[in-house]
Amino acid sequence: MEWPIESDCSSIRIWSTLFDTEQTYDYVTIQGEKYSGTAAISVTVPAGNFIVYFHSDGSATKTGFALSWTCAGNL
């Protein structure tokens, strides 16, 4: 699955409000960085447009994830 994020921001701060995926097998990718297991996400992306990807092998069910974002730079 993928979710494109488009904005007029010069950079975007992204953080997880919930993160629980199957370690190694289910992961979120943001700007080439993979996040898996229960590691919290807190990253600033130096672009206003990017895509959040989610990969799952479908073998185990965990709580999932929820992400929030806001402009971190000037419009």
Side-chain angles (χ1 to χ4, degrees), residues 14-73:
I14 307 159
W15 67 96
S16 57
T17 56
L18 166 73
F19 202 88
D20 182 24
T21 64
E22 183 183 14
Q23 182 70 42
T24 307
Y25 301 103
D26 299 343
Y27 53 87
V28 171
T29 304
I30 301 171
Q31 293 288 100
E33 185 75 27
K34 289 183 180 179
Y35 302 91
S36 183
T38 58
I41 295 173
S42 181
V43 64
T44 298
V45 176
N49 301 311
F50 62 95
I51 299 174
V52 174
Y53 296 96
F54 177 63
H55 174 270
S56 175
D57 68 353
S59 68
T61 302
K62 296 287 187 166
T63 306
F65 65 95
L67 302 176
S68 293
W69 66 272
T70 188
C71 286

